[in-house]
Every structure is written in structure tokens, then in C-alpha cells.
């Protein structure tokens, strides 16, 4: 007999990571940055590797201070973690346990239901509206006495749609101010819609807001695992308690600092990816695809029942995307060659 597990384990799915592409193919399944690391970041990584016999600073003090300076916040409001997915987990374990409810849009980031279930809390999924957007009025209406946390994922992974400032302010006005509203902005740097919410603008007026961001996507450090939260000092202190000690390695920490120092160079790459996103959208729409306006580094193809078929046509051409069975396909916007290959197939189906 194997060791007994918590009953909830029978219902928790294993996180599905994006599949790898064959050599010569294109991996558009994990919203990664297609660029190789900057030389200055690689240098910082090499130097940090020389200290791998030592534990990292458990509080990532230098990075916390650099982020606080970058965003003009108090360091007491900044928490660094092993990717923002770890911070999602720290947030839920700080606020919700057995009998509590966590509200999130669906489909959205696949880690939300897993993290909620592991915490022993109950997931409340709010379906996206007909335009693949989050329905924050429905989220507010779903709040009960048991609600402890609401995730707003903007741009929403996998559909790319944003929540507007007006929508999030209305949500914050509608929900009790002891319910944490987590604004997961993993793709913040890719946003160019002026109506989109910027969670950092809300922090001073709403102490129940936490903003999550990451170095994985725009800054190209997915393989190193470093993200951060900016929240009120009390919530930030709680997130430090629920973290696993030493979660951010010396290498990840120093690479993140070097990335902030090289921010303008990195944001030029982001600007190019935004131009490519526009081009992919325009070309697909001109060919008749009805796709929502994505503000992330990916596009959403609402392929419905044709999802598996289209994903396998793409796979045969060496293009690996993320298929959501029966719903649609999320494809990362990458370099021109990969985007051309994707668009060529999708416009010739
Ligand atoms: C990618 C992603 C994250 C987590 O990224 P990390 O690599 O863990 O920093 C968090 N939220 C959303 C919505 C994402 O798409």
C-alpha cells in the first residue's frame, strides 16, 4: 500500500508545461521571449555562478531595493519570489485555507486552480464573456462571506484581453475591502492599450490590492525563476512568511538586477514583439480569423471544436502551440521567422 495522501490530491491536475519543439521547429507554447540573453545579463550570471557554494540573501535585499527604486515604492511593499507563480502560491496560502473561496477568471492561468486546491480552498471560476474578456461584474457578484481573494489576470493568459482601469476600480468599489484583489500582470510590459489597468496606480488608494509581475516574459529570464509582488506592507510581510526560504537563487537575483540596469535595451525588444503582435493580428484578421485583441506576447485563436485538428496541423509543420481542448489555441508571438511560419499555416487552412 502506498502512503496515504490528502483526498484533494485525487482532483488536482498536474501543471501542463508547453511542449518542446523539434530542432528547426518553433516553440510557441510557453510565452517565452525569443531573444537570447543580453551580454551584460550573461556576465552577471557568470559572476554569480562563482558564489554557488553560498546561500543567497533570503530576502533578496538588493533586488527588492532596486525594484522599489524603479517603481518609486517603499521596499517594505516589495516581495521577490521564485517566479510570480510562486508568489501566486504565497498569496493564496497567506489568505485562504479550508472553507475559503478564491475567485478567478476561466480560462486563465492554469496554476490558479492548482494552487487553490493545494491550499485546501475552494476555486470559484468566473467564465470569460463572449469577447474572451474577464467579467469583473460577475466576479464581484460571486463574492460571499467566504471569499478571501480575487485574481484579475491582465492581460489574461491565454486570451490576451485586458481589464480596464474602470472595470478594476468598479470591482474594488464593489468588493469588501478585506478581500485581497490580486492583479496578475505577468505581461505588463507588452501592454499598449491606454485603457488597460496598471495595478501600481491603484496601490495607494486600495490597500487590498497586490500586483504581481515577473522577469520571465518581457525580460527573458523564464529559465531562472524570478518574479515579484508589490502590495501593502502588511500583505508583503505575510508573503515573506509564506515563501519557501532561499527560493530566489543568487544567479536569478543578480540576473534580475542586471536586467533592470539594461531595461531600455530589453524594452526595445518588447517594442519589436509588440509590432510583430500587431502584424500577426492584422494578417490573421485580414484572412478572416475572428481573434480578440491580445495585449500579451501571444495571440488567442478561438478554434473551438477544431482545436486539436489545427494544433496537429501546426505540429506537423514543426510549430508547437498551447492547445486548450475544445476552446482554442494560444500561440506565442516570437521572432519574425516563427511568426511568418505560424501565420502562413493559419491563413492557408
Ligand atoms: C507566465 C505567467 C506567470 C508566472 O510566471 P513566472 O515564470 O512564474 O514568473 C504568472 N501569471 C501568468 C498569468 C502567467 O502567464
Amino acid at each position: 500500500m502506498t502512503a496515504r495522501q490528502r483526498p484533494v490530491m485525487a482532483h488536482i491536475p498536474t501543471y501542463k508545461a508547453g511542449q518542446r519543439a523539434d530542432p528547426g521547429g518553433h516553440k510557441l507554447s510557453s510565452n517565452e521571449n525569443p531573444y537570447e540573453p543580453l551580454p551584460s545579463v550573461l556576465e552577471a550570471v557568470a559572476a554569480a555562478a562563482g558564489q554557488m557554494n553560498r546561500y543567497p540573501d533570503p530576502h533578496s535585499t538588493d533586488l527588492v531595493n532596486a525594484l522599489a527604486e524603479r517603481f518609486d515604492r517603499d521596499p517594505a511593499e516589495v516581495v521577490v519570489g521564485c517566479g510570480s507563480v510562486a508568489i501566486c502560491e504565497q498569496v493564496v496560502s497567506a489568505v485562504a485555507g479550508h472553507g475559503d473561496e478564491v475567485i478567478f477568471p476561466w480560462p486563465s492561468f492554469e496554476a490558479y486552480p492548482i494552487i487553490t486546491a493545494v491550499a485546501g480552498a475552494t476555486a470559484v471560476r468566473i467564465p470569460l464573456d463572449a469577447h474572451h474578456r474577464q467579467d469583473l461584474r460577475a466576479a464581484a457578484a460571486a463574492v460571499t462571506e467566504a471569499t478571501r481573494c480575487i485574481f484579475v489576470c491582465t492581460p489574461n493568459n491565454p486570451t490576451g484581453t485586458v481589464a480596464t482601469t474602470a472595470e478594476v476600480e468598479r470591482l474594488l468599489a464593489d468588493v469588501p475591502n478585506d478581500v485581497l484583489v490580486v492583479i496578475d500582470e505577468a505581461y505588463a510590459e507588452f501592454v499598449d492599450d491606454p485603457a488597460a489597468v496598471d495595478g501600481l496606480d491603484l496601490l495607494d488608494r486600495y490597500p487590498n490590492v497586490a500586483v504581481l509581475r515577473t522577469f520571465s516574459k518581457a525580460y527573458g529570464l523564464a529559465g531562472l525563476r524570478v518574479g515579484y509582488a508589490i502590495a501593502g506592507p502588511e500583505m508583503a510581510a505575510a508573503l515573506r512568511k509564506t515563501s519557501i526560504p532561499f527560493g530566489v537563487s543568487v544567479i536569478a537575483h543578480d540576473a534580475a538586477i542586471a536586467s533592470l540596469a539594461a531595461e531600455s535595451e530589453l524594452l526595445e525588444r518588447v517594442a519589436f514583439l509588440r509590432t510583430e503582435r500587431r502584424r500577426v493580428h492584422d494578417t490573421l484578421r485580414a484572412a478572416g480569423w475572428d481573434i480578440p485583441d491580445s495585449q500579451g506576447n501571444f495571440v488567442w485563436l478561438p478554434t473551438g471544436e477544431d482545436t486539436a485538428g489545427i494544433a496537429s496541423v501546426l505540429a506537423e509543420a514543426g510549430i508547437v502551440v498551447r492547445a486548450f481542448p475544445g476552446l482554442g489555441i494560444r500561440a506565442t508571438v516570437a521572432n519574425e521567422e516563427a511568426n511568418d511560419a505560424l501565420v502562413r499555416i493559419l491563413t492557408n487552412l
Side-chain angles (χ1 to χ4, degrees):
M1 189 176 159
T2 56
R4 199 187 313 182
Q5 299 180 2
R6 292 162 61 201
V8 71
M9 294 309 294
H11 309 290
I12 299 180
T14 301
Y15 185 85
K16 286 194 221 63
Q19 282 178 307
R20 291 180 178 277
D22 291 330
H26 302 288
K27 182 178 183 223
L28 306 182
S29 53
S30 296
N31 294 346
E32 292 155 335
N33 195 307
Y35 291 97
E36 284 174 11
L38 287 177
S40 63
V41 176
L42 270 183
E43 260 170 52
V45 163
Q51 302 162 48
M52 66 170 76
N53 54 315
R54 301 287 177 198
Y55 278 105
D57 168 3
H59 305 298
S60 300
T61 313
D62 292 346
L63 179 55
V64 163
N65 289 340
L67 286 165
E69 191 175 319
R70 167 67 182 81
F71 294 111
D72 201 16
R73 305 301 311 185
D74 193 304
E77 299 172 309
V78 180
V79 179
V80 170
C82 180
S84 63
V85 67
I87 304 207
C88 289
E89 195 266 339
Q90 286 162 245
V91 165
V92 173
S93 57
V95 301
H98 183 73
D100 297 330
E101 291 172 359
V102 175
I103 294 177
F104 49 81
W106 200 254
S108 189
F109 187 36
E110 281 175 279
Y112 299 151
I114 298 174
I115 285 166
T116 302
V118 171
T122 303
V124 179
R125 292 174 168 81
I126 308 295
L128 301 183
D129 72 11
H131 305 288
H132 313 283
R133 303 185 70 245
Q134 278 167 90
D135 186 345
L136 295 185
R137 285 181 191 235
V143 171
T144 71
E145 288 276 293
T147 306
R148 291 291 169 274
C149 170
I150 302 173
F151 277 97
V152 176
C153 187
T154 176
N156 185 49
N157 173 3
T159 56
T161 52
V162 290
T164 65
T165 307
E167 287 168 331
V168 177
E169 295 217 32
R170 194 194 154 101
L171 174 77
L172 287 161
D174 285 349
V175 306
N177 59 13
D178 63 353
V179 171
L180 182 68
V181 174
V182 181
I183 309 182
D184 184 346
E185 298 185 345
Y187 304 94
E189 299 82 359
F190 294 99
V191 172
D192 58 13
D193 176 352
V197 70
D198 179 338
L200 298 181
D201 294 341
L202 301 172
L203 287 170
D204 288 329
R205 275 175 301 139
Y206 302 98
N208 58 324
V209 166
V211 178
L212 310 190
R213 294 196 180 171
T214 177
F215 286 92
S216 293
K217 313 279 169 48
Y219 292 82
L221 300 186
L224 290 183
R225 317 301 310 128
V226 54
Y228 55 97
I230 305 185
E234 287 173 24
M235 187 53 63
L239 301 184
R240 283 186 211 102
K241 291 185 198 172
T242 55
S243 73
I244 292 171
F246 307 113
V248 178
S249 72
V250 183
I251 294 173
H253 175 270
D254 289 10
I257 289 181
S259 299
L260 286 175
E263 191 179 23
S264 56
E265 254 176 295
L266 290 166
L267 293 183
E268 274 172 35
R269 295 172 159 192
V270 168
F272 176 77
L273 292 170
R274 273 202 300 259
T275 311
E276 280 294 284
R277 174 179 75 201
R278 180 81 277 144
R279 183 173 76 87
V280 170
H281 270 100
D282 291 349
T283 319
L284 291 177
R285 283 188 182 143
W289 281 89
D290 181 15
I291 57 173
D293 194 15
S294 171
Q295 289 280 296
N297 62 342
F298 54 89
V299 292
W300 175 249
L301 309 161
T303 43
E305 295 307 319
D306 300 329
T307 298
I310 294 175
S312 72
V313 170
L314 289 166
E316 276 162 35
I319 300 175
V320 184
V321 292
R322 183 74 70 95
F324 294 74
L327 289 177
I329 289 172
R330 189 196 71 197
T332 305
V333 173
N335 60 28
E336 274 173 289
E337 186 199 341
N339 302 336
D340 284 343
L342 175 75
V343 163
R344 200 179 313 122
I345 291 171
L346 292 175
T347 53
N348 286 301
L349 282 173

